[in-house]
Each structure stands twice: as C-alpha cells, then as structure tokens.
Amino acid sequence: SGGSGSGYGAGNGAGARGGQSVEEMLRRKKQEEDDLRHFREIISGWLNDTLNTDLFNEAVLFDELEDGRNLCVLANVIDEKEGEYRANPSMHDAATDRLVPEAAKTRPLGRLEFHEEAEPGSPEASENVLSFIKWCRGLGMCDPDPEVFAVDDLVKRENDRDVLIGLFDVLRATRGMPLPKLVQDERDKVAELLRRSSGDTPAGPYVPVKNDALDQAVSNVMSEFRGLNLRRVGQGRYVLGNKILLMRILRSAVMVRIGGGWEELREYLQQHSKKSNDEQIDKQAQLAIEAIRNGTSSLFVSKPNVAKLQAAAPPKSSAFKPHAGKH
C-alpha cells in the first residue's frame, strides 16, 4: 500500500540512504511488511470476535472494510457495549477508565446510519468511511491529528498503515468489550500500578528476627502498612527505599531518628514513606497511561515487531450482523 517506490541505491550494496546498505534497507522494508501483516492479523481477530463472524482475515481485511459498511457496524456495536458498561457498575474497571479518553466516556450514544448497499469505490462507500471517521472523533481521537485516517487511505487503499493504527486507537477507546492480548496487556500493566498505588498489593508480611525485641516491635508497626519494603540490615538499623533508618524503643514506642531528634515510626511511615511510595507509583501509572495514549508504549510503537502477539479469542457475541464484501 501507499506505493513501495524504487531506487534504493546502486552498485555492490552502496549508495543507500543514511549510510544504510541496500541489504539493510530491504531487510527493514521486509520487517515493516511483516509488522503490518501481524497488525492485520490482530485487527482481523478482534473484528471477528467483536462482530461475531469469521469474515475477516489478514489477506482480505481491507477488502471487507473499504466500503465502510462494516466500520459503521463496528461503531454501533462499540456504542452498544459502552452503554452496557455505563449502566452496569459491576463492569467498571479503574485501569480501563484511566486509559480511555474522557470524550469516549461521556459522548452521546446512538446508532450510526450508513449506506448498507454501498459498493467499493463508490461515493456511498466514501460517505460511510467519512461517517466512521466523524464517529471516531467523538472518541477523542481528533487531537493531535485532524483525522483518524483519511477517507482515501481506505477507499483508495492509499495508506494501509494509518488505517491499522487508527483501528488500534479505536479499540483502545472501548469499554466492556473483549480486547486483543496486545491491548489487554497494556491495561493489565496499568491496573497493577494502580493497585499498588492504592495499597491493594502488599509487599509481603514483615518477618522479624528471633530474640530481637526491637525488630518484633517494628514488625508490629509494619503490619499496619502494606506495600512497603523495609529491611533490617543490623541491630537497630533498617533500609526503606534508599534511606537508612536508625530505630530504638522509647517508652514502648518504636522511634526513628530524624535529624537531631526522634519520631514515632508509625508517624514517619504515614507522613513520609507511604506518601512518597504512592506518589512514585501513581507517577509510574500516569506515565504508562500517557505513553499508551501517545502511541509510545513499549507494547505498541510506530514500527513495532509484534510477531509473537496474537489476538485473544474470547466468546463471540453481537446483536449486529457484519456485511460480507462484494468482491
């Protein structure tokens, strides 16, 4: 798609762009083609699961999408599932809600009308694709690019890659639906960070040293704090994060050395360590969310190698019937 071009260089692998040999450029071109093929496989699997069909596969994906009918059916299924998600609190998921654009969570829901008899390459096909693109803008996908992809990128097959990336952004903006493993892994990563931030994932119980009254008292305090990794490194000496803490017992309370004085360990953990830990984890979660939204996640970048990624195969269910292509 988009024209492969020619003239890589001439003569014994020399004359390549940017100091690359002809062989290297051909290797990179083949890698990009392999990546796009795997993207097509992932999107095809997701569409089959979402639309309850076996219509799509890597070889015919764009043939089945170019008249825009199945894209509009897809939009209607996504809106139906979004409505179910909003109405059912038991389906709500913190990671999903943090990752999905705000516009997608608050947009009006309805049925997208389209030309059901559109032929490939016809004005009606272009109108269908344009209707889908306008619907995508309601998902919050219009910024920074003015369009998810251009009409002719699909109708005239001018840019398959942008169409695939646009469809990945669409599925990232869905709630209440099965997802390809690629996107589910992203959400699982953020979910784990959010659980750690909220203290739902403990670091494990603190195990005191036998016959050490101070360490036993420290253990009693640590039982109140989840997610913190405190280590004993010597008598009265502990490490929390990158800090060395000196402790002692004073009037039955565990005290920690702060500057020129002493503070109760319980208060110290409340005011300093846990707050710092939570802020750091929440920052990691936010960075992961921003990376995914910007398409720079390590799980999905502009030219990824996704040879080992496969679409998940959840149970199929849909009230909408996809359109078989007329090819």
Side-chain angles (χ1 to χ4, degrees):
S1 69
S4 60
S6 59
Y8 283 110
N12 298 322
R17 295 176 300 182
Q20 292 181 333
S21 67
V22 173
E23 290 79 6
E24 175 65 16
M25 294 181 68
L26 290 174
R27 187 193 66 79
R28 289 173 61 88
K29 179 178 174 60
K30 182 180 183 302
Q31 181 64 64
E32 288 186 30
E33 291 172 348
D34 289 343
D35 290 341
L36 288 177
R37 184 178 68 255
H38 289 299
F39 277 149
R40 291 195 298 271
E41 292 172 352
I42 293 172
I43 290 294
S44 295
W46 176 64
L47 289 172
N48 284 332
D49 294 331
T50 301
L51 302 180
N52 192 28
T53 184
D54 57 2
L55 187 64
F56 301 94
N57 61 58
E58 178 272 323
V60 302
L61 173 63
F62 291 105
D63 294 336
E64 301 297 345
L65 295 179
E66 62 184 350
D67 59 29
R69 296 180 300 159
N70 284 318
L71 290 177
C72 294
V73 171
L74 174 66
N76 288 330
V77 171
I78 290 174
D79 273 5
E80 179 189 74
K81 297 300 183 183
E82 172 66 19
E84 294 175 1
Y85 184 92
R86 295 182 189 181
N88 189 350
S90 66
M91 297 176 64
H92 293 184
D93 173 74
T96 295
D97 292 342
R98 289 282 292 271
L99 283 168
V100 170
E102 193 63 31
K105 297 182 287 187
T106 58
R107 73 186 191 278
L109 302 177
R111 180 174 176 80
L112 184 63
E113 300 297 332
F114 59 97
H115 300 287
E116 297 191 17
E117 301 300 324
E119 298 284 346
S122 68
E124 290 78 15
S126 295
E127 290 179 11
N128 283 347
V129 175
L130 181 59
S131 293
F132 177 75
I133 289 173
K134 290 179 177 178
W135 174 84
C136 289
R137 291 172 180 167
L139 300 178
M141 294 170 57
C142 56
D143 187 20
D145 296 322
E147 294 181 334
V148 182
F149 51 84
V151 171
D152 286 349
D153 287 344
L154 179 57
V155 174
K156 296 184 179 180
R157 301 292 302 278
E158 291 183 355
N159 193 329
D160 291 356
R161 183 175 176 275
D162 277 4
V163 174
L164 288 171
I165 291 176
L167 290 175
F168 264 100
D169 287 340
V170 167
L171 70 89
R172 279 196 175 97
T174 65
R175 300 193 295 180
M177 299 178 61
L179 297 170
K181 184 178 184 300
L182 176 68
V183 179
Q184 189 60 55
D185 284 349
E186 291 176 343
R187 292 193 180 176
D188 289 346
K189 175 183 178 182
V190 171
E192 175 61 22
L193 289 169
L194 292 176
R195 280 193 293 270
R196 290 171 57 194
S197 180
S198 65
D200 290 341
T201 302
Y206 184 86
V207 180
V209 174
K210 292 182 178 180
N211 303 318
D212 187 330
L214 171 61
D215 202 40
Q216 180 61 58
V218 168
S219 175
N220 293 339
V221 175
M222 289 299 298
S223 67
E224 303 173 18
F225 296 89
R226 297 179 298 174
L228 294 180
N229 185 17
L230 180 72
R231 293 183 295 112
R232 180 184 185 276
V233 294
Q235 180 63 40
R237 294 172 61 86
Y238 296 80
V239 173
L240 182 63
N242 59 358
K243 295 182 179 180
I244 296 178
L245 305 178
L246 303 180
M247 300 190 198
R248 69 174 183 171
I249 295 179
L250 181 63
R251 291 191 289 274
S252 301
V254 180
M255 309 296 290
V256 59
R257 183 79 173 180
I258 302 296
W262 294 85
E263 181 178 0
E264 282 198 29
L265 175 61
R266 182 176 288 102
E267 294 180 0
Y268 176 84
L269 295 177
Q270 290 172 339
Q271 298 174 9
H272 298 277
S273 300
K274 192 171 190 303
K275 177 181 177 182
S276 175
N277 185 61
D278 287 351
E279 288 178 347
Q280 180 62 28
I281 294 173
D282 193 61
K283 181 178 179 181
Q284 293 174 8
Q286 191 57 44
L287 288 173
I289 290 168
E290 291 175 1
I292 291 168
R293 285 178 176 170
N294 294 333
T296 58
S297 168
S298 61
L299 294 169
F300 179 71
V301 292
S302 297
K303 294 180 180 179
N305 182 356
V306 291
K308 297 183 179 180
L309 296 173
Q310 296 178 348
K316 300 178 180 179
S317 63
S318 174
F320 296 90
K321 183 178 180 181
H323 293 268
K326 303 175 181 179
H327 305 290

